[in-house]
Structures are given as C-alpha cells and as structure tokens.
Amino acid sequence: MIYFDNSATTFPTERVRAVCSDTMADELSGNPGSLHKLGVAADTAYGKCISGTAALLGAKPSEIIFTSCATESANTAIRGFMSRNRRAGNTVISTRTEHKATLECLAYLEKNGFNVVYIPVLSDGKPDLKVLEDTLAAGDCALMCFTLVNNETGAVLPSDEILKLRNRVSPSTVYYLDAVQALGKIRMDLHKTGCDMCSFSGHKIHGLKGVGVLYVRDGIRIDPLILGGGQQRGMRSGTQSLVLARSFETALEEASEGIEAAFDDVSAINGYLRRELAARKAMILSPDDALPYVLNVSFEGFESETMLHCLEIYDIFVSTVSACSSKSKKVSYVLLESGVPQKIAANAVRISFSRYNTMHEAEEFIRCVDEIYDKFAVRR
Ligand code: PLP
C-alpha cells in the first residue's frame, strides 16, 4: 500500500499505540475528578500531560484545552470568542479558502447578525494583504481567522506579516489560527507565532482520532461551547480522557524529533513528483512555495474521482477534495477561490505525505501513473 492521503488522516505510530495501551491500565483509568487515590493518579497524570503538551507547543499549561477534534477547537474559539466579546466589534475577517470547520462557524455568526468580511485569495493561495489592511483599518474587527497551511494545496499563510499588520493597524483584533496541517511539520512555538487562539488535531500527526487541542492565550476570554461538570477550568466540560490526551502528547513529541530532517525528506519526494508529473500530462496546482507535505495536481483527461479509483487499483490512496467534503462530489472550492479554472480543478487530486513516506513510493507512484495513462487514457 502507498498511503498518500496524510492530510485526511494518519495512522497511529507504534509509540502512540504503546503509550495508549499502557495508559489503559487500571491504575490510570480512574476519573480525574474523583477524590480517591485512583482519581488523584489520573488527575496527576493528566496534569503532567497538559504541561508536556504545552511545553511542546511553546505555551503555558493554563492556555491548553483538550477537545475532541480540531473542528470542536475551531467552534469553541470562533463562536466562543464572539459570544463572550460582543463589545469588541461586530466584524470577523477571514477568507473563503478556510476549512469547513471555520467556514461553517462564520456562516453561523453571519446568521446571528455578525458581519463577516472574506479577504480575496490570490493565485499563490495567500490573502490579499492590501485588502486585509484596509479592512482592519475600517475598524470594528473583533476577530480574524486564518489557516497556517491550507489542507488542499499546502499554501502557507504569511502569518508574520499578518501579525505585524494587525499590531500596527488594529491591535485589539484577536487572531485565530488553524494550524492543523502545520503541526508536526514545522516547529510550533505559539508564543513566538503570536496568535491569540490556535487549533490542532491529533489524527493529523499520527495520534488518535477523537482528540484535538485549542490554545487560548492567557487573557483572552471565551465562552465554553460544552457546558457541564466544569472540567478543564470550565472551558470544556466532560470527563477528561487521559488516553486521548496522551496519544496527542506522544504523537507531538515524536513528530518534534527530527522535524527538520523529515521536512527535507518530504521536500525531496515532493520535488521529485513535481518534476516527474509536470513532465507528463499533469499540472501542479500547489503554489511553488507551498508546504511540501501537500501536492495538488490536475491530471489531463481524468476527472479527480476517476484518477483516485485508478490509483486505488494499485493500492495507492490519495484524495480528491478534502476528505470531509469529498463525498459531496464537488469541485474544490479552495482551488476555485484561488483562481484555478473549473475544468482544471475538476481533475485535481491531492497527494499528501507524512514523514514515513519514501522516495521509493514516489517512484512507484509515477510508474503506476504511467501505466494508468497507457491502459486507460487512450480508450477514453
Ligand atoms: N482544519 C484543517 C486545515 C483540516 O485539514 C482539518 C481536517 O481535515 C480540520 C481543521 C478539522 O480537523 P478534525 O478532523 O480534527 O476536526
């Protein structure tokens, strides 16, 4: 099997599986809220896990909330902030190339009377900073929401420039960042990043599905999305899962080891595929300076889904549009918003890598693409 669909999800590593298995021991399976010694043991371990995770992210333990996924993190951050800070302004800034986890929150806010301004995205996948500056200067902007690495193209946000712009033009505007596809691929130091709130997902970094993280900088107040027993400082009620939290911490710790070497290896694979595919009947849709972990390619003569299933015959797995919207058979809105013509976007396939992919797999991928063209293209 060649698994090139790592932006959709990744497989848990041996280390993650082992830690999860150890954590399921009776001694650690108490409720962290219980007063007896099993509860205390679970609570102590959970506290350590929060501290470890915070350190790996360059944050303080008081700034970390474990959630069920990045979608929950986005909902808590965006809706929770706007609900709590009604006097901060009525406008939210974003783009139309965000993940649905953000876009649907923005649609919800619009339905509830907030004004959402969508900054146009240029052909390199980056928001038009002149329009952003003008929008910030117009005032009333409570929140801006952007994605650090786009999940469909790998386009990288000019986050430092955006931060400088915000600090100069509208310092009170809170900056929410979706860093789901950046985590484990580029070193993350949240205090240096300068964002105010940030989302992460465990299953994109070889952790388990069912766990995400929300970073909320100390001093930023949000309303919780989930009410109940007041766990996690009242920010996310519900009995904490030590197994899930530890799976996240372990995956992040593992991803942080050799992160630069992994980046170089994936860059080499990406560069090879870009060259080989461009020499065939394929058009590279990811920007030149995209993160190498994502490569969006349009195959001439093959609709996205047809190519996906042709590759599947060879046990090669890729995506059409992002996994959560791919069942709706739509052409990628991210590509269309970035100015890719409909006909080209309709043939787009997303190939996405992890540090565990190899050059040999990339060579095999090219061999199979050649065979697919030989076998199927002429008869079409
Ligand atoms: N944001 C981005 C950029 C993503 O790629 C994804 C998942 O595809 C999400 C948010 C949502 O993550 P989760 O599956 O953890 O809800």
Side-chain angles (χ1 to χ4, degrees):
M1 167 170 86
I2 298 179
Y3 187 72
F4 279 169
D5 198 13
N6 293 280
S7 289
T9 197
T10 55
F11 307 139
T13 60
E14 285 306 320
R15 194 150 121 195
V16 167
R17 289 171 207 223
V19 167
C20 291
S21 166
D22 291 349
T23 307
M24 279 190 269
D26 287 354
E27 310 82 74
L28 287 173
S29 294
N31 186 326
S34 293
L35 295 181
H36 49 65
K37 65 181 179 190
L38 281 178
V40 173
D43 191 45
T44 306
Y46 198 78
K48 268 195 198 156
C49 181
I50 290 183
S51 300
T53 305
L56 288 164
L57 291 172
K60 292 192 249 168
S62 56
E63 297 173 321
I64 298 297
I65 302 165
F66 277 110
T67 61
S68 66
C69 58
T71 300
E72 186 191 323
S73 301
N75 273 264
T76 309
I78 298 170
R79 293 166 55 190
F81 180 82
M82 293 309 286
S83 152
R84 178 67 177 256
N85 299 277
R86 290 188 183 267
R87 276 178 293 178
N90 199 50
T91 299
V92 182
I93 299 176
S94 193
T95 73
R96 292 196 189 277
T97 56
E98 302 305 304
H99 190 272
K100 286 283 181 190
T102 293
L103 289 179
E104 290 300 316
C105 290
L106 299 177
Y108 172 89
L109 291 178
E110 282 182 291
K111 265 191 228 132
N112 285 278
F114 291 99
N115 174 38
V116 180
V117 176
Y118 295 94
I119 307 295
V121 167
L122 306 174
S123 58
D124 59 4
K126 301 189 202 309
D128 185 329
L129 295 188
K130 181 73 190 90
V131 179
L132 175 60
E133 179 167 357
D134 293 345
T135 312
L136 284 169
D140 194 42
C141 297
L143 178 67
M144 57 181 191
C145 308
F146 294 111
T147 299
L148 191 50
V149 174
N150 186 276
N151 50 300
E152 291 194 25
T153 62
V156 180
L157 187 78
S159 184
D160 291 346
E161 278 178 73
I162 288 176
L163 197 70
K164 275 189 207 144
L165 209 64
R166 190 278 312 257
N167 292 347
R168 182 166 54 80
V169 182
S170 179
S172 64
T173 300
V174 161
Y175 182 14
Y176 164 75
L177 195 58
D178 173 334
V180 168
Q181 298 290 350
L183 191 67
K185 295 161 188 163
I186 48 181
R187 242 177 235 294
M188 190 67 57
D189 185 329
L190 283 165
H191 287 168
K192 277 197 196 140
T193 306
C195 61
D196 300 300
M197 301 191 284
C198 193
S199 294
F200 304 104
S201 178
H203 73 98
K204 311 285 187 182
I205 59 165
H206 295 281
L208 294 190
K209 292 164 190 62
V211 59
V213 161
L214 172 62
Y215 160 80
V216 183
R217 188 169 60 72
D218 274 353
I220 303 286
R221 300 244 175 278
I222 60 173
D223 279 341
L225 194 68
I226 298 180
L227 303 173
Q231 289 90 341
Q232 301 202 63
R233 307 177 302 284
M235 292 316 303
R236 205 274 186 172
S237 286
T239 302
Q240 304 93 314
S241 166
L242 182 59
V243 173
L244 290 172
R246 274 195 167 170
S247 74
F248 187 97
E249 183 195 16
T250 308
L252 182 55
E253 189 180 64
E254 208 173 355
S256 305
E257 294 164 6
I259 195 167
E260 288 81 13
F263 189 95
D264 290 346
D265 291 347
V266 170
S267 296
I269 291 172
N270 182 302
Y272 166 79
L273 286 177
R274 277 181 185 250
R275 282 190 303 279
E276 293 298 322
L277 290 170
R280 290 164 169 78
K281 289 180 177 169
M283 189 185 281
I284 305 298
L285 301 180
S286 287
D288 291 344
D289 62 350
L291 199 77
Y293 287 81
V294 185
L295 184 58
N296 203 305
V297 181
S298 177
F299 288 94
E300 194 188 312
F302 285 87
E303 279 185 2
S304 311
E305 209 180 319
T306 310
M307 181 51 91
L308 178 146
H309 290 304
C310 286
L311 287 166
E312 196 179 9
I313 298 170
Y314 296 88
D315 230 13
I316 297 175
F317 299 94
V318 297
S319 268
T320 51
V321 294
S322 77
C324 39
S325 46
S326 56
K327 295 236 165 71
S328 55
K329 291 199 180 177
K330 282 188 207 132
V331 174
S332 160
Y333 64 85
V334 171
L335 294 176
L336 297 179
E337 289 294 335
S338 309
V340 175
Q342 167 92 23
K343 267 180 97 171
I344 293 172
N347 294 3
V349 165
R350 178 186 68 183
I351 310 165
S352 53
F353 313 106
S354 107
R355 57 165 58 198
Y356 300 109
N357 289 125
T358 63
M359 188 60 93
H360 176 71
E361 289 177 325
E363 287 161 1
E364 186 58 15
F365 178 87
I366 292 296
R367 197 190 62 71
C368 293
V369 166
D370 284 343
E371 216 173 294
I372 288 167
Y373 268 103
D374 284 349
K375 271 196 189 160
F376 304 110
V378 275
R379 279 188 262 130
R380 288 163 62 82

